[in-house]
Amino acid sequence: MKDKYLKITDTSKIILRYFLIIFLSLCLIWSAITFFLYHLEARAFLLQIKNREKSRIEVQKEIIEQNFISIASDLKFLSKQNEIFQFIETNNTIYKELTAKEYLEFCRQKAAYDQIRFIDNYGNEVIRVNYNAGNPDIVPGKMLQNKKSRYYFKESLALECNKIFISSFDLNIENNKIEMPLKPMIRFGMPLCDNDGKKHGVIALNYMGIRLLNLIQSANKEIMLTNSDGYWLHSPIPEDTWGFMLKERHNRRFSTDFPEAWITISSAPEKQFYNENGLFTFTTIYPSKKIMDSGLISDNPAIDTEEEIKCKDDYWKIISYISNDVLINKTRGTLFKFLILTTIVFVLTSIPAWFITKEIIRRRLHQLEMYELANFDRLTRLPNRAHFLKNLNQIHYQSQRYGHTYALLFIDLNGFKEINDTLGHDAGDQVLVEVGKRLSKCIRQSDMVARLGGDEFTIVLPFVPSPHDAQKTIEKILKEISIPLILNDSQREISASIGLSFYPDDGDSVDVLLKKADCEMYKIKRSTKKA
């Protein structure tokens, strides 16, 4: 085999190559570390967002439920007033006026009810106070109406004593038309019962739903409120709301925009989940259940169970939604921070990478130099005697083991001493270098040429079938070497004597084969001189 002599020439390219390998390896490691840290940071950030949204939802739920408890407390307070029962017993208008004045002051102080009414068993409004946008007044008797056909009156009167009716959250209707501007309303009703449990009518409160929506709006504009059918009661986009009452908005509902999310939301009381749209957090409000849990009507033995309330009651969903785009934008700041950190680390990494590279190359070059000095001829850059013998022993061992053949050539230049004596050692060195190149041209890739010393060269030809084939290589070498050389501006011709030994015909050991080839070479050299 031809030995590939390692040249130590362009060290700048070697340094650059090693620097890039080390630098890119360090960058890869730092990138992996940075990505891992970013992943942890992003997870922590998203967890913070999830916890924050859960907290916001719970706060909103608490606010709404506390409003219900307050309304139930107000309703129970109004149902226990002495003046109203004195009026019922005596039909004295003085007590009626006193009750109306208390309603008026109550309406002014609470500023939460659009109407406070006492309606008798026949649906006649007996006392009614209107809030009038902050200027409450008592409605004169001639303007009072009969409400026996209204659902909230009928359902409230049908309740047992101490029970509370809560209507759906919808828009106020006056004269069979939706009042404009839109007036969100929740109606609360409670039978007015005396100590004997006899009903005398209904106490009705029209709660201004805008107060509830404003509380949601002030806490978080992105929080949404829907009814049990998936229609928006509150949305970041006002035009989406009240689709179940306004024909032009009939198709605007949460369940239409997010059908897959609504399946999960409508089937569970509370949950937080991801889907392809983003992060959803929700909880459910059961108005009647909260009032029941408050203990305000716990003295009623006939109160519905929690399961009954959930089945028949109108419930609301408080929903927080953060789109994937928003989540990505929220993590971009973290990503940007880590990109800056990574860039700084890359720049700083280049400094130690450069010094590490220089040290590695220095050691590597020193090792290569030592290897070359030990194994290669410094003049011709061919393998030296030690390297040649090492490889020859390996070839011999392989040939013995697998039954291969090989040939060994010993080459000695004729007339080399004369060139040294007449033209100088520089010319002699030029001859040796050129001969080494010519010998390399004449052999196969699997062959090996070496300089033993002086003007002596040797070649090993593995896998040569016969001595005749090796002789062809010798003829090729002799022809190549005989080509004239230009030395010191003059043309000179040289020749060579080549001895051949063949394994296994000429011996079964390396020493015998070397000696055989050497002897053959000297025979040819002597015969050439005699000729």
Side-chain angles (χ1 to χ4, degrees), residues 8 360-371:
I8 308 174
I360 291 175
I361 294 302
R362 186 188 66 80
R363 292 187 179 185
R364 179 62 175 159
L365 292 178
H366 179 71
Q367 292 172 353
L368 291 176
E369 185 178 1
M370 294 299 99
Y371 178 79

Side-chain angles (χ1 to χ4, degrees), residues 245-417:
M245 296 196 73
L246 303 174
K247 291 182 179 180
E248 65 273 17
R249 302 181 185 179
H250 182 70
N251 292 326
R252 296 190 182 183
R253 61 166 78 182
F254 182 93
S255 55
T256 300
D257 288 0
F258 304 100
E260 293 184 5
W262 181 249
I263 293 173
T264 301
I265 292 172
S266 61
S267 61
E270 60 182 16
K271 195 173 183 180
Q272 187 174 65
F273 64 95
Y274 284 106
N275 68 11
E276 68 275 6
N277 298 116
L279 174 67
F280 292 87
T281 310
F282 72 91
T283 190
T284 307
I285 295 178
Y286 301 96
S288 295
K289 177 182 180 299
K290 186 59 184 178
I291 292 173
M292 180 189 73
D293 291 344
S294 69
L296 289 172
I297 52 177
S298 59
D299 57 331
N300 186 350
I303 190 70
D304 291 339
T305 64
E306 179 178 339
E307 289 72 17
E308 290 172 333
I309 287 172
K310 287 183 180 180
C311 288
K312 75 178 185 178
D313 216 25
D314 184 34
Y315 60 83
W316 305 338
K317 295 287 185 178
I318 305 176
I319 306 169
S320 164
Y321 165 59
I322 303 178
S323 68
N324 282 325
D325 290 340
V326 173
L327 290 174
I328 292 172
N329 287 333
K330 287 181 180 293
T331 57
R332 276 180 181 167
T334 303
L335 178 60
F336 182 70
K337 178 179 69 176
F338 276 98
L339 286 177
I340 293 176
L341 176 62
T342 302
T343 302
I344 294 173
V345 169
F346 282 1
V347 172
L348 295 178
T349 298
S350 63
I351 299 173
W354 178 256
F355 285 106
I356 292 172
T357 299
K358 291 188 70 175
E359 179 62 21
I360 291 175
I361 294 302
R362 186 188 66 80
R363 292 187 179 185
R364 179 62 175 159
L365 292 178
H366 179 71
Q367 292 172 353
L368 291 176
E369 185 178 1
M370 294 299 99
Y371 178 79
E372 289 178 0
L373 288 174
N375 294 277
F376 293 88
D377 175 53
R378 299 191 68 178
L379 178 63
T380 61
R381 294 186 175 179
L382 295 175
N384 59 18
R385 177 185 292 273
H387 193 36
F388 172 77
L389 292 175
K390 178 181 178 181
N391 280 276
L392 178 59
N393 281 300
Q394 291 179 349
I395 292 171
H396 183 77
Y397 171 76
Q398 294 291 331
S399 298
Q400 280 185 323
R401 182 173 183 180
Y402 298 106
H404 298 158
T405 58
Y406 69 87
L408 188 61
L409 307 182
F410 259 49
I411 304 168
D412 187 82
L413 300 181
N414 299 324
F416 178 73
K417 185 175 183 302

